[in-house]
Amino acid sequence: MSTTENAIASAEAHSAHNYHPLPVVVATADGAWMTDVEGRRYLDMLAGYSALNFGHGNRRLIDAARAQLERVTLTSRAFHHDRFADFCTRLAELCGMEMVLPMNTGAEAVETAVKTARKWGYRVKGVPDGMAKIIVAADNFHGRTTTVISFSTDPEARADFGPYTPGFEIVPYGDLTAMRAAMTENTVAVLIEPIQGEAGVLVPPPGYLAGVRELTRERGVLFIADEIQSGLGRTGKTFACEHEGVVPDMYLLGKALGGGVVPVSAVVSSAAVLGVYRPGEHGSTFGGNPLACAVALEVIAMLNTGEYQQRAAELGDHLHHELGLLAGGGSVQAVRGRGLWAGVDIEPELGTGREISEKLMERRVLVKDTHGSTIRIAPPLVIGKEDLDWGLEQLREVLRG
Ligand SMILES: *Cc1c(COP(=O)(O)O)cnc(C)c1O
């Protein structure tokens, strides 16, 4: 057996089969490229679902992490540490908000948002105890915890994991009329992705986000934007909400916030909302740890230059132009997305998304399928234009058959 086959066989024997990875075993990575255990190089066109927006082994991020590793890595929130205040201040500034509640994973940020919205609903809005409702969208992806999958519409994500957490109303994504109809005095929040990533990079109809903003403001409901995947540069702006000039009441951030180095997530909102917490009511052993704060501070500094957003916008225009040419040609049904982020619906007779991904892997390009015959393309924002073009050429070759 090859080194690759060995590694895969032993992973299959000793790890739960909750993933079906492509048969590549990565050993090292740099920028937009990964090298496997046999020395083969692959172009990373997934970027860890946007956790690697700044590329593999980004110098600034690795240096920030290394320097912090030598100082202090963990204190718990039982004590203050000297990176915490800066992290919260700078992140609030980046978001144009006032307060930050740091966690680790995206799902935890979503859980924190659910708890925050409910508490705000009872303490500030005056919803009767236990009656708070949160409106979410069909085909959402907000993570894998029991409460979060309770409001998923994906049978794979939900089946066999009940009983489910109550308190959620599901409405079609992009449908303001349905959202308005679902709202009652007990609605505390609307929780949506400004672009639905896992659903296939679905961009809502123009005016939708602005409409959600108007409706939620009018009804005294919190607008929670899950920007865990769409935020921090991916779409060509710091936040995908900016494309409609919308500022929500709460941003949920994760993935790229940890620079591909450590898991860092956060809920960012106003003092009126996050101010509802008192000591002991919520927490996390690792949330806001010194290493996480040091890396995230560097991520924030990099985003403050605007260069990554600009790069995503420029390369994104190029990507969508090239994919748009394919969309007319009989092999691609539709292309969606914004910035350096695309969902590509391949003609089903050419293969499932998985099969296309495997063929791309043989040509040394790594992508991930979503449902059916859709693949998503989301390379690190630091990818070179020539590399992006080379990756697109491999896709054209695969589609040529
Ligand atoms: C990835 C993702 C999450 C969950 O993040 P984890 O870190 O995997 O828990 C939540 N919301 C969105 C939009 C995501 O893309």
Side-chain angles (χ1 to χ4, degrees):
M1 275 210 292
S2 69
T3 318
T4 298
E5 285 164 342
N6 254 320
I8 292 172
S10 102
E12 280 190 358
H14 301 292
S15 74
H17 296 177
N18 57 326
Y19 277 93
H20 182 33
L22 287 170
V24 56
V25 182
V26 175
T28 62
D30 183 34
W33 291 88
M34 300 201 278
T35 304
D36 77 0
V37 286
E38 328 248 3
R40 293 177 290 234
R41 293 180 82 222
Y42 299 83
L43 185 63
D44 182 2
M45 297 265 263
L46 178 67
Y49 307 94
S50 287
L52 287 153
N53 275 3
F54 308 100
H56 296 274
N58 186 290
R59 245 321 105 207
R60 284 184 68 170
L61 297 173
I62 298 296
D63 287 348
R66 190 170 281 139
Q68 191 60 41
L69 280 171
E70 302 293 340
R71 297 177 72 237
V72 57
T73 51
L74 189 65
T75 55
S76 86
R77 294 285 307 280
F79 316 115
H80 288 273
H81 66 75
D82 67 1
R83 314 312 300 268
F84 187 73
D86 254 5
F87 163 69
C88 295
T89 310
R90 300 281 167 263
L91 184 58
E93 270 168 19
L94 181 78
C95 297
M97 303 252 171
E98 294 165 330
M99 277 189 179
V100 170
L101 202 168
M103 299 295 285
N104 309 283
T105 65
E108 286 176 307
V110 176
E111 290 274 351
T112 302
V114 167
K115 288 173 73 173
T116 306
R118 286 176 172 180
K119 193 170 186 64
W120 173 87
Y122 301 130
R123 294 294 165 142
V124 180
K125 184 167 175 166
V127 170
D129 190 37
M131 302 291 282
K133 280 274 186 350
I134 295 175
I135 295 175
V136 298
D139 300 320
N140 67 71
F141 182 85
H142 297 288
R144 299 294 197 169
T145 58
T146 42
T147 286
V148 171
I149 58 101
S150 293
F151 55 85
S152 169
T153 57
D154 176 1
E156 256 177 7
R158 259 177 75 89
D160 295 334
F161 299 130
Y164 303 107
T165 308
F168 300 93
E169 293 285 338
I170 303 170
V171 299
Y173 189 62
D175 185 340
L176 275 175
T177 312
M179 185 178 285
R180 180 175 289 113
M183 252 178 213
T184 71
E185 307 86 88
N186 294 337
T187 306
V188 294
V190 166
L191 165 63
I192 53 167
E193 299 154 83
I195 292 177
Q196 288 191 325
E198 301 301 303
V201 195
L202 297 186
V203 181
Y208 178 63
L209 298 177
V212 171
R213 175 65 288 184
E214 204 177 291
L215 179 60
T216 48
R217 187 172 284 136
E218 198 178 285
R219 303 292 291 266
V221 167
L222 300 178
F223 178 1
I224 304 173
D226 180 346
E227 294 249 19
I228 290 166
Q229 194 164 164
S230 59
L232 310 184
R234 175 56 56 190
T235 67
K237 302 220 181 259
T238 307
F239 302 106
C241 283
E242 287 176 63
H243 291 281
E244 284 202 17
V246 161
V247 180
D249 297 297
M250 192 188 288
Y251 285 118
L252 309 186
L253 302 175
K255 293 200 166 103
L257 189 57
V261 180
V262 279
V264 187
S265 70
V267 169
V268 189
S269 188
S270 63
V273 173
L274 278 175
V276 296
Y277 284 108
R278 294 291 166 268
E281 292 173 348
H282 190 57
S284 160
T285 302
F286 291 97
N289 69 73
L291 183 59
C293 289
V295 173
L297 270 166
E298 203 61 31
V299 165
I300 296 162
M302 287 160 70
L303 285 167
N304 277 331
T305 68
E307 67 193 88
Y308 295 91
Q309 296 89 325
Q310 195 186 335
R311 201 173 167 77
E314 285 167 12
L315 286 179
D317 283 348
H318 180 64
L319 171 72
H320 284 282
H321 172 77
E322 293 295 316
L323 292 173
L325 296 175
L326 283 176
S331 56
V332 167
Q333 283 185 340
V335 179
R336 296 168 301 273
R338 250 186 190 137
L340 215 40
W341 198 17
V344 183
D345 297 341
I346 311 285
E347 283 293 343
E349 61 261 35
L350 292 179
T352 61
R354 172 75 186 193
E355 287 161 348
I356 301 290
S357 304
E358 284 171 358
K359 286 184 186 159
L360 278 167
M361 192 197 96
E362 284 161 22
R363 294 184 158 274
R364 310 287 171 85
V365 174
L366 298 178
V367 299
K368 172 83 173 83
D369 54 303
T370 55
H371 310 277
S373 289
T374 302
I375 57 166
R376 67 183 117 183
I377 296 179
L381 310 183
V382 297
I383 190 173
K385 179 158 182 292
E386 302 72 37
D387 290 342
L388 180 60
D389 280 332
W390 180 82
L392 286 166
E393 182 52 29
Q394 305 317 305
L395 176 61
R396 280 191 287 269
E397 287 295 328
V398 164
L399 296 178
R400 251 175 233 137

